[in-house]
Amino acid sequence: MNIAHWFTVLRLCVSPLLPILYLGYDWLGIPFGWVPYLLLAVLLVSESSDFFDGFLARKHNLVTDLGKVLDPMADSVTHISLFLAFTQGVVQLPLLLVLIFLYRDFFVTTLRTLCALRGVALAARMSGKVKAVVQAAAALLVTVLMIPYSVGWVSLELLQDASLFIVGIAAAYTLLSVWDYFYANRIYIRRAIES
């Protein structure tokens, strides 16, 4: 464990706060008007730690196999936790849309594991890194949209329609990143399956 790993662990530890705050604010005695700000605070801590772990790992030559596994896992846990929570409450995203994020991660993780067991290491793709940024932007935008809704400046219908559009774009790019990953590694994947 190095300092970059600890930033990643921090992300994993704060991620459960997102669904807890969004879904359990009433039970926790938190006014709904505070919820978007609290979610934004957690998201900013999470995304900042994502930046710092990558920056420190590259600057101090702390890039490790553990970090290569933990970092994308922390991204997925953070974003999927919030998007799954957003299928409930005021945002009401369709569950099928959010499952795209989950299935993408299952698919890529399964391929990487299968190939690793056959002695083939699949490299990460830039599309996967961009996917994490797009998902983070979508999570932040939907959370920001909750602020004008909480004070009555935006209708529930507009909040839900805009959220669907924003997360729909992220889901479309997520699908594109799966295709890019599969296509770029198709030779290695075929070799691993046939061996």
Side-chain angles (χ1 to χ4, degrees):
M1 290 291 288
N2 59 49
I3 189 164
H5 294 150
W6 284 113
F7 274 108
T8 306
V9 170
L10 172 65
R11 262 192 297 159
L12 288 168
C13 290
V14 301
S15 293
L17 292 175
L18 295 166
I20 289 170
L21 290 169
Y22 177 73
L23 297 173
Y25 70 91
D26 196 32
W27 180 75
L28 294 169
I30 299 170
F32 180 76
W34 293 11
V35 172
Y37 298 102
L38 293 171
L39 292 177
L40 278 175
V42 174
L43 280 171
L44 289 174
V45 167
S46 179
E47 299 306 332
S48 298
S49 69
D50 187 18
F51 170 79
F52 283 119
D53 73 11
F55 174 77
L56 290 170
R58 287 185 295 273
K59 183 174 181 181
H60 298 289
N61 197 24
L62 298 173
V63 177
T64 64
D65 289 337
L66 177 62
K68 291 176 184 177
V69 173
L70 282 181
D71 185 62
M73 183 180 79
D75 286 338
S76 295
V77 168
T78 300
H79 302 144
I80 292 173
S81 293
L82 187 57
F83 290 142
L84 280 173
F86 281 161
T87 64
Q88 308 296 311
V90 295
V91 177
Q92 291 289 312
L93 290 175
L95 180 59
L96 289 176
L97 182 67
V98 177
L99 287 177
I100 290 171
F101 303 115
L102 200 58
Y103 291 157
R104 185 265 180 204
D105 286 351
F106 285 159
F107 180 75
V108 170
T109 301
T110 301
L111 281 179
R112 292 184 85 168
T113 303
L114 174 65
C115 289
L117 289 173
R118 305 288 195 213
V120 178
L122 298 185
R125 300 281 302 160
M126 180 56 72
S127 63
K129 295 175 183 178
V130 173
K131 179 261 315 174
V133 172
V134 169
Q135 289 182 7
L140 285 164
L141 282 172
V142 173
T143 305
V144 167
L145 270 176
M146 290 173 61
I147 296 172
Y149 167 75
S150 69
V151 294
W153 295 347
V154 166
S155 69
L156 180 61
E157 183 180 9
L158 181 57
L159 169 68
Q160 292 177 346
D161 289 347
S163 298
L164 178 61
F165 178 74
I166 291 165
V167 178
I169 290 172
Y173 187 82
T174 298
L175 286 173
L176 180 64
S177 76
V178 174
W179 180 86
D180 174 69
Y181 190 85
F182 183 81
Y183 185 78
N185 292 297
R186 64 193 183 283
I187 295 170
Y188 306 111
I189 293 168
R190 188 181 305 120
R191 190 180 302 160
I193 292 172
E194 291 173 354
S195 63

